[in-house]
Amino acid sequence: MTLTIFPWMIALPLGASPLVYLAGRLGWHRVELNGRSWLVRGLALLALALTWIPFALSWGQFAAQGERLFFNFETIGLQADGLSLLLAAVTLGLGTVVVLFSGPYMAGEVGEEKYYAMLLAMIGLIIGLGCANDLFNFWMWFEAMAVSSYLLVAFYREQSASLEAGIKYLVQSAVGSVFVLLGVALVLGATGTLAMDKIRLATNGFTSTHSGLALAGAFFVIGFGVKVALVPLHTWLPDAHSQAPSGISAMLSGVVIEAGLIAMLRALSTLGMLSVSWGTLLLGFGALNMLFGNLMALKQVHLKRMLAYSSLSHIGYILLGIGVALTSGQLAGAQGAAFHVFTHMIMKGLAFLTVGAFMFALLYQKGSHRSLVIEDLAGAAHKYPLAALALSIALLALGGLPPLAGFMSKWQIFVAGFQSGDGWVMGLVIFAALNSVLSLGYYAPVVNMLYRQKMGDVVQQGEAIPMTMNIPLAVLALAIVAIGLWPSIMSWLTEPAGQAILFIFGK
Amino acid sequence: MAAILIGFVIGIPWLGALILWRTNDENPRLQHTLAVAFSIAAGFSSLALIFFSSAQTAVDIPMGAFFGSLTFTPDGLAVSLTAIACVIGSLAVVFSVDYMKGEAQLSRYYTFVLLFIGAMAGLVLSGSLLFMFFFWEITALCSYALISFYNDDPKAVAGGIKALIITQVGGVGLLAGALITYSTLGTYQVSDLLESAGTIPANVLAFIAFGFLIAAAAKSAQFPFHTWLPDAMEAPTPISALIHAATMVNAGVYLLARFYPAFVQVPGWALSVTIVGLVSALITAFMALTATDLKRALAYSTVSQLGYMVYAIGVGGFFASQFHLLSHAVFKALLFLAAGAVIHAAGTRDMRRMGALGKQMPFVRNVFVLGALALAGLPILSGFWSKELILEVGLADGPIWAYVGMLLGAGMTAFYTLRITWLVFFGEARESLHVHDAGFAMKVSLGLLAAGTLSTWLLAGSFSGLFHATLPFHSIHELSTLELTEEIFFAPATYIALTVVCLGLGIFWMVRKQAAARKEAQFDILSRESFGFDWLNRQVTSITFKFASVLQETQTGKLNWNVVGILGALLVVLVFLLWSA
Amino acid sequence: MNFDPLNAVLIGVVLLLAVGFYGLLITRNLIKIVLVLQVLVKAVVIALVLAGKDSGNLGLGQSIAATVIVADTVVAVVALALAVQVRIRIGTLDLSKISSLRG
């Protein structure tokens, strides 16, 4: 090993964040091209584009080396394994698309530069979170990411609903973070160390269940569970995801809750001797999340709120895969969960961005900041064929219909459930499949609404969707179809991630 | 060559779908032309594929870990169903040229029709359970999209979502069966399942077998999932002919037929299949007796005839069921399309408002009568041979009570078929509807289907030869058409059945005055509610929604309550850990 | 039974946590919620030092505790800033009135 490159994935966006902010404050955003301020956004995009280089290089290094990459700076240690790279890929992928998309969407908003600065910081911090290998550093990354996301949720600070969502999100996350720290204290008390590998060594010595560590595990589940939105810790999610700017909704649903899940897994993995219990617990939460998310989404009229609830049910599928991996050591489960993290990022990202595009064209351009209801989209396909198709693809993929990506990742999770040979788990898989059917009960009517023959008033008066918004939508929609037709094109990413999950739990 | 043709039958319609999606609705001529061209090309490819049929896998593409291989096997069962899908599909498209003239959103219409034709071909050709399910779901999606085609009409939207949800719930059975197969055998290949079914533990095999039965029943609208098909009649009529009579609903029968050799050893499976077929055939025939909506009456009859096919598989008549599938696909497509011509001209689907339309549209009347006679099972039309074959197998190998039931069904079929024909084309005009005969494109497809109704039974011999040669697990005896006709002519079952059919026709002739009356019969309410199953569907839906409303109360929007949720969850986790320790 | 003075600290931590959670359940005022959160975090800070001491790694515990105080101040600042905005835009700090998002 010659040169450690992967910390640059973290450093580049983090470093670019204050620069972007400064550029904005210094008034450079008034530098205009074709009547649009482009510098702030251009800088942000450049930073993300550059970040792909260390990602590609570190992935190459990781693939060649076949094991984790390490980096130590003073007492701060970082590592990159399959899971870190999955999270980095998901974050960078969606982040790039969101920055592209946000150009017209955020143009002219007060504090546009703050938006990009915070977004970049959040991207860097999430990648950092995936690479931390010390429980406390881990909490630091987590907390910093959370702070950046509070500010982004409450970005429209002139709107009372955004503020309400932001403050609820903040308080509940802070409670969660208290639990995480309590867990950290318990682990520190029991083992005298916070480096994950060392904790693992120390806890391997415990033959029977250590009550302090079990309690720590419970605190981790609850603490990170708030971020992952396990039911009933989820109450902040529908508010925050529906009130944030659409690009941020996409990031929150597509990346941040999954980052919380990966954080939870890393923390729990240090308490490996109880992995079967954790697996069972996650299966239980998974079932609850699926049913609850779907039933809540069934009655929503606000599109973004519906999508937020659908995220709850998709977290359920991911938990199902991970639960199977932990209880029976199935690589299919771990890999399927990783695959679903990836496909959910694309599908939910696309869904939120398309809804954002519609909000932009139908409402914002008209000076309205109300939220979009399903009825507004009546007949939108006549005027916005591409966006309507993209939203349909995203929703049907979320509902698990082939030939779209969601079908394949769910299938892989289901395979794992049946391979485990456990009757209860198989029952749970059938329950999950029935839940997918239930979810069509709210996805399909939206698609129907889009293709109505009569155009609604809102659509008739809508403005055009700019090209810079349409391109990201088209790219994501194509990706969904491509993965649905050829699922193994993503296994280079999901297989190491799946193996990493099994590895950290010692399976 | 087989591989290329398989590529054609799936690829050509899908390519057409892609192109039509991009066409502009301002230019309907182009859309009609493109759709007809692509579907006819697919139809000819599918006919060519019959000559390259074999038991060997023609296409094999590995899809990576956990996804097995994408394989296509052009065996007799697959190529015949592909031909039905593509040929009747192209006839339905030709018919649409007249029927859909002047409709909006033709690009959406043709896209889904072509997508459906390709997916149906993929479903039957697929040699991998995963991809069978994959295409299975795409056909469901297309069916949904087309039922809800007139999506400004709430009835069409409701019918679409009902069909989607019910067939998807059933699809979970196929999903579970495919996953169990993969986890026990390590493969998704259909041929492996058929070959090693004996090595699978009996209880596991039973799960697969009954899972597939549930899936088949839902897809073929069999009891207890029969409620969706009548509501699916909100679709444009060519769609009802293509998807909801001739092809997609056959997928369930296909599934049972395909895996019959593997599941026949499962105790109770064959009997369950028989019962599902019997109950479906009888209750829907009963519902057809009083139906007043032309398309719904034909839909009930479709479920009833599919019941015959399912029954045939249950009693071991694999060939009889597939033969009836072929005949039924042709004559039911004919009936639906002819009904479409009537509805198109009359502007209503209510048979109580029709009557004596035959004089104004003689061509449509003639082909409809032909189809009706085939449906009733009168010699020498295709429906006669195949239905007699089913009843003969039922008498020989099946339980006698089931045979009596099916015989009764045959009588009811004759009764309602004559009733429909009478109400629409004969008797006296109850309202002065100004109708016109079918257009040119309509006549072309109706004429071809009528020719098929007269002649497909002549193919029975080569049909059985094809199955014999390419289905190694099904042990089909090769019979020539001549042998088959002799067998039917000398079987006593034939004469029993014919007597019952004539009885049914005679009874209708005596009560025809009352049948035309506008007042509803008392048991009509029972039929419209699908024997209480519609009530059951509504209850499930309303309970789900009520439950959702109750859950909505938990999202109070109050921060203090949200914190209660967090602490409550902590308590639950702690209790769980204590309990599991 | 001889009493370990560290147990007294532990009891203190538990008491602080109890006060904090009780406060979260009953407090309606947003500013007070922020204060209550601070109480919880202070309990955690003490717990971290205690854990360090308990495991013979006091330095680690203390340094973490100091870092937590810094990080948490940031959260408190953001929370208060949001509270100010809430007061300006919604016109109240009463949580029972800040509940337009439900269902």
Side-chain angles (χ1 to χ4, degrees):
Chain A
M1 201 179 98
T2 48
L3 192 65
T4 321
I5 304 162
F6 77 88
W8 286 102
M9 295 192 297
I10 308 164
L12 273 173
L14 271 185
S17 166
L19 284 181
V20 166
Y21 180 70
L22 269 180
R25 294 308 289 180
L26 291 175
W28 291 357
H29 66 279
R30 279 192 284 277
V31 180
E32 287 188 349
L33 189 73
N34 297 335
R36 282 198 193 289
S37 65
W38 56 274
L39 199 115
V40 170
R41 177 161 65 107
L43 263 181
L45 205 55
L46 180 70
L48 285 184
L50 287 178
T51 314
W52 281 101
I53 298 170
F55 172 78
L57 290 174
S58 8
W59 185 77
Q61 245 180 18
F62 173 77
Q65 199 176 317
E67 57 177 57
R68 294 184 286 171
L69 309 170
F70 287 100
F71 171 76
N72 284 303
F73 175 73
E74 300 287 324
T75 57
I76 300 169
L78 291 173
Q79 59 162 8
D81 62 1
L83 212 47
S84 323
L85 289 172
L86 171 76
L87 191 57
V90 168
T91 316
L92 272 180
L94 192 59
T96 313
V97 173
V98 165
V99 169
L100 258 178
F101 173 89
S102 297
Y105 193 86
M106 301 305 292
E109 294 283 349
V110 181
E112 197 188 345
E113 72 282 352
K114 280 186 219 150
Y115 173 87
Y116 288 109
M118 279 297 157
L119 185 56
L120 280 182
M122 190 163 89
I123 290 168
L125 291 166
I126 293 173
I127 299 174
L129 173 70
C131 296
N133 71 352
D134 169 300
L135 263 187
F136 182 71
N137 286 340
F138 198 61
W139 177 84
M140 283 298 293
W141 289 112
F142 195 74
E143 196 67 10
M145 171 190 91
V147 170
S148 64
S149 63
Y150 304 148
L151 293 169
L152 285 169
V153 166
F155 182 78
Y156 294 128
R157 60 167 191 231
E158 70 284 358
Q159 290 173 39
S160 55
S162 298
L163 286 172
E164 182 186 338
I167 196 82
K168 282 182 190 164
Y169 178 32
L170 187 148
V171 173
Q172 292 185 52
S173 287
V175 175
S177 126
V178 164
F179 279 119
V180 173
L181 278 177
L182 280 175
V184 170
L186 281 169
V187 172
L188 176 63
T191 63
T193 176
L194 286 175
M196 290 194 190
D197 291 335
K198 286 185 189 157
I199 303 173
R200 229 168 260 135
L201 282 179
T203 53
N204 276 344
F206 297 129
T207 46
S208 63
T209 310
H210 183 286
S211 61
L213 289 180
L215 189 61
F219 285 156
F220 285 147
V221 169
I222 297 298
F224 289 116
V226 173
K227 260 297 191 302
V228 187
L230 304 178
V231 174
L233 314 169
H234 66 282
T235 37
W236 61 272
L237 182 140
D239 301 350
H241 287 205
S242 60
Q243 294 306 320
S246 293
I248 300 308
S249 307
M251 286 299 284
L252 289 178
S253 260
V255 177
V256 174
I257 52 179
E258 284 80 357
L261 183 62
I262 287 172
M264 182 198 283
L265 288 181
R266 284 224 197 268
L268 283 181
S269 74
T270 58
L271 320 167
M273 74 286 174
L274 274 173
S275 67
V276 173
S277 292
W278 304 134
T280 318
L281 196 62
L282 293 183
L283 284 177
F285 274 118
L288 194 59
N289 264 47
M290 277 185 256
L291 185 65
F292 189 89
N294 279 331
L295 285 174
M296 291 295 280
L298 205 53
K299 297 211 60 169
Q300 299 302 323
V301 287
H302 295 275
L303 261 172
K304 281 179 85 174
R305 213 165 163 82
M306 187 194 94
L307 290 175
Y309 279 117
S310 117
S311 294
L312 287 184
S313 70
H314 280 271
I315 281 292
Y317 289 103
I318 299 170
L319 287 177
L320 177 60
I322 288 172
V324 172
L326 296 195
T327 48
S328 61
Q330 294 289 338
L331 176 62
Q335 194 181 333
F339 193 16
H340 202 68
V341 166
F342 187 83
T343 55
H344 181 246
M345 175 275 281
I346 308 183
M347 301 184 293
K348 195 50 74 59
L350 177 59
F352 268 120
L353 291 184
T354 327
V355 171
F358 279 125
M359 289 175 88
F360 176 77
L362 303 179
L363 304 175
Y364 291 1
Q365 297 282 74
K366 300 281 170 198
S368 162
H369 263 78
R370 73 177 171 90
S371 79
L372 194 71
V373 295
I374 296 170
E375 296 278 318
D376 289 341
L377 291 178
H382 300 291
K383 201 160 174 180
Y384 309 103
L386 186 102
L389 181 63
L391 185 55
S392 309
I393 286 178
L395 292 179
L396 295 175
L398 285 167
L401 283 179
L404 305 169
F407 171 79
M408 288 299 180
S409 51
K410 281 182 186 172
W411 183 275
Q412 195 169 5
I413 292 173
F414 292 173
V415 166
F418 272 85
Q419 278 184 338
S420 74
D422 183 336
W424 283 101
V425 177
M426 289 190 219
L428 202 56
V429 169
I430 291 178
F431 175 76
L434 288 173
N435 259 299
S436 271
V437 178
L438 176 59
S439 72
L440 287 173
Y442 55 90
Y443 294 130
V446 180
V447 177
N448 230 319
M449 187 63 75
L450 286 167
Y451 287 93
R452 273 286 186 72
Q453 290 184 353
K454 281 194 207 107
M455 253 195 270
D457 293 342
V458 183
V459 173
Q460 259 166 5
Q461 292 159 9
E463 305 285 326
I465 296 177
M467 186 61 96
T468 37
M469 276 179 158
N470 271 334
I471 290 172
L473 301 184
V475 169
L476 289 178
L478 276 178
I480 289 177
V481 178
I483 294 173
L485 290 173
W486 197 265
S488 48
I489 47 174
M490 288 322 297
S491 58
W492 61 272
L493 191 64
T494 57
E495 200 182 336
Q499 279 162 348
I501 293 176
L502 292 185
F503 175 79
I504 59 177
F505 279 94
K507 296 276 182 189
Chain B
M1 190 61 199
I4 296 171
L5 284 172
I6 289 172
F8 278 180
V9 292
I10 301 171
I12 290 178
W14 279 19
L15 180 69
L18 211 60
I19 292 172
L20 270 152
W21 185 258
R22 297 300 304 143
T23 57
N24 194 333
D25 284 330
E26 309 287 297
N27 191 353
R29 269 186 82 87
L30 175 75
Q31 290 173 323
H32 289 306
T33 317
L34 278 175
V36 168
F38 276 106
S39 60
I40 286 183
F44 277 112
S45 313
S46 73
L47 290 175
L49 186 60
I50 293 178
F51 298 100
F52 294 93
S53 66
S54 75
Q56 302 301 315
T57 299
V59 179
D60 190 340
I61 308 168
M63 297 297 286
F66 310 113
F67 297 104
S69 300
L70 169 61
T71 58
F72 291 110
T73 313
D75 60 13
L77 193 54
V79 293
S80 54
L81 277 156
T82 308
I84 292 176
C86 294
V87 172
I88 297 187
S90 55
L91 292 176
V93 169
V94 170
F95 186 87
S96 301
V97 172
D98 276 344
Y99 190 87
M100 300 299 286
K101 193 173 275 170
E103 295 277 354
Q105 295 190 307
L106 278 178
S107 89
R108 181 157 63 93
Y109 175 79
Y110 281 127
T111 299
F112 279 105
V113 172
L114 289 171
L115 190 63
F116 170 80
I117 293 173
M120 190 66 207
L123 163 61
V124 291
L125 285 165
S126 170
S128 144
L129 284 171
L130 165 57
F131 286 92
M132 192 184 278
F133 185 68
F134 179 93
F135 288 114
W136 179 278
E137 298 278 282
I138 298 180
T139 59
L141 172 67
C142 296
S143 156
Y144 161 73
L146 289 165
I147 295 170
S148 300
F149 179 70
Y150 296 122
N151 51 17
D152 291 322
D153 176 5
K155 266 165 77 187
V157 173
I161 197 98
K162 185 176 182 183
L164 182 68
I165 299 284
I166 291 181
T167 52
Q168 295 284 64
V169 167
V172 173
L174 178 57
L175 173 119
L179 290 171
I180 296 174
T181 308
Y182 182 68
S183 56
T184 35
L185 296 178
T187 167
Y188 292 116
Q189 296 308 308
V190 171
S191 52
D192 293 339
L193 174 58
L194 290 172
E195 196 177 315
S196 353
T199 64
I200 300 175
N203 56 342
V204 177
L205 189 63
F207 269 110
I208 305 178
F210 282 99
F212 281 19
L213 176 57
I214 291 173
K219 198 76 163 176
S220 289
Q222 296 292 291
F223 169 82
F225 300 104
H226 55 278
T227 51
W228 69 265
L229 193 62
D231 287 352
M233 291 303 125
E234 301 299 330
T237 309
I239 301 308
S240 308
L242 172 63
I243 299 184
H244 305 119
T247 53
M248 188 187 82
V249 288
N250 290 339
V253 179
Y254 162 78
L255 195 68
L256 296 177
R258 169 66 82 195
F259 294 101
Y260 173 75
F263 298 155
V264 70
Q265 48 188 311
V266 173
W269 187 76
L271 186 64
S272 311
V273 174
T274 311
I275 292 174
V276 166
L278 173 69
V279 175
S280 313
L282 280 182
I283 62 173
T284 48
F286 185 77
M287 280 146 68
L289 292 180
T290 57
T292 52
D293 178 318
L294 175 53
K295 280 181 76 182
R296 284 178 93 94
L298 288 175
Y300 293 136
S301 130
T302 303
V303 179
S304 177
Q305 295 304 306
L306 287 166
Y308 275 87
M309 298 171 211
V310 171
Y311 163 81
I313 290 170
V315 297
F318 168 82
F319 177 70
S321 93
Q322 295 307 302
F323 188 28
H324 193 53
L325 190 153
L326 172 69
S327 328
H328 175 257
V330 176
F331 71 68
K332 190 50 74 63
L334 172 65
L335 285 172
F336 260 112
L337 290 182
V342 172
I343 293 164
H344 190 67
T348 175
R349 302 195 323 219
D350 192 340
M351 290 191 286
R352 290 171 299 184
R353 297 179 55 196
M354 300 173 183
L357 294 182
K359 279 178 216 140
Q360 287 156 285
M361 35 197 340
F363 182 83
V364 176
R365 176 197 63 201
N366 294 345
V367 292
F368 194 93
V369 167
L370 204 63
L373 293 177
L375 173 58
L378 286 175
I380 49 146
L381 297 153
S382 60
F384 164 73
W385 303 104
S386 51
K387 198 182 281 180
E388 295 308 335
L389 204 56
I390 289 179
L391 289 172
E392 193 192 320
V393 178
L395 180 62
D397 301 336
I400 188 73
W401 46 267
Y403 171 73
V404 172
M406 296 316 272
L407 210 54
L408 183 66
M412 278 151 73
T413 309
F415 182 97
Y416 71 68
T417 312
L418 187 54
R419 173 175 173 270
I420 295 169
T421 319
W422 184 263
L423 283 179
V424 175
F425 292 104
F426 300 99
E428 50 207 69
R430 283 174 289 278
E431 250 174 59
S432 53
L433 295 166
H434 295 285
V435 296
H436 51 83
D437 213 352
F440 175 71
M442 284 185 176
K443 276 186 177 157
V444 168
S445 45
L446 288 174
L448 285 170
L449 284 168
T453 307
L454 280 168
S455 62
T456 46
W457 61 277
L458 293 169
L459 295 172
S462 31
F463 208 44
S464 78
L466 189 64
F467 283 179
H468 174 73
T470 59
L471 294 173
F473 300 104
H474 286 75
S475 53
I476 309 284
H477 302 293
E478 192 173 357
L479 278 174
S480 74
T481 308
L482 197 63
E483 284 166 327
L484 206 70
T485 44
E486 276 176 11
E487 194 185 316
I488 291 174
F489 261 123
F490 293 112
T494 308
Y495 297 98
I496 303 175
L498 274 178
T499 316
V500 174
V501 167
C502 292
L503 218 60
L505 295 174
I507 292 174
F508 175 78
W509 191 251
M510 288 189 290
V511 301
R512 65 183 188 281
K513 291 269 149 46
Q514 285 92 322
R518 281 182 180 232
K519 74 170 172 48
E520 292 187 2
Q522 273 154 356
F523 48 89
D524 194 41
I525 191 87
L526 198 63
S527 307
R528 270 193 290 123
E529 286 288 300
S530 300
F531 282 80
F533 281 92
D534 249 341
W535 176 85
L536 196 68
N537 290 349
R538 281 199 304 274
Q539 286 301 306
V540 171
T541 317
S542 92
I543 288 171
T544 312
F545 273 90
K546 272 186 196 139
F547 190 37
S549 301
V550 172
L551 281 185
Q552 273 194 311
E553 299 295 314
T554 62
Q555 185 77 12
T556 56
K558 295 207 165 56
L559 193 52
N560 300 111
W561 283 108
N562 295 358
V563 176
V564 173
I566 296 178
L567 295 180
L570 177 66
L571 209 64
V572 171
V573 170
L574 290 177
V575 168
F576 168 80
L577 284 178
L578 273 179
W579 168 77
S580 71
Chain C
M1 193 179 105
N2 61 355
F3 188 76
D4 186 347
L6 285 182
N7 280 347
V9 181
L10 186 62
I11 291 167
V13 169
V14 172
L15 276 179
L16 275 177
L17 285 176
V19 169
F21 284 123
Y22 180 67
L24 277 179
L25 293 181
I26 61 150
T27 308
R28 291 268 180 89
N29 185 300
L30 203 47
I31 303 292
K32 285 187 189 157
I33 286 278
V34 178
L35 290 180
V36 169
L37 278 178
Q38 287 300 306
V39 172
L40 280 175
V41 175
K42 293 307 161 305
V44 169
V45 167
I46 301 171
L48 282 168
V49 178
L50 183 65
K53 167 81 179 136
D54 211 30
S55 63
N57 204 342
L58 185 58
L60 183 58
Q62 282 173 334
S63 60
I64 289 174
T67 322
V68 169
I69 292 172
V70 174
D72 192 64
T73 309
V74 176
V75 176
V77 166
V78 173
L80 287 173
L82 280 177
V84 169
Q85 293 291 338
V86 167
R87 179 72 181 79
I88 294 172
R89 310 282 166 192
I90 308 181
T92 177
L93 285 171
D94 186 346
L95 280 176
S96 61
K97 289 185 183 133
I98 312 174
S99 60
S100 66
L101 301 168
R102 60 175 84 184

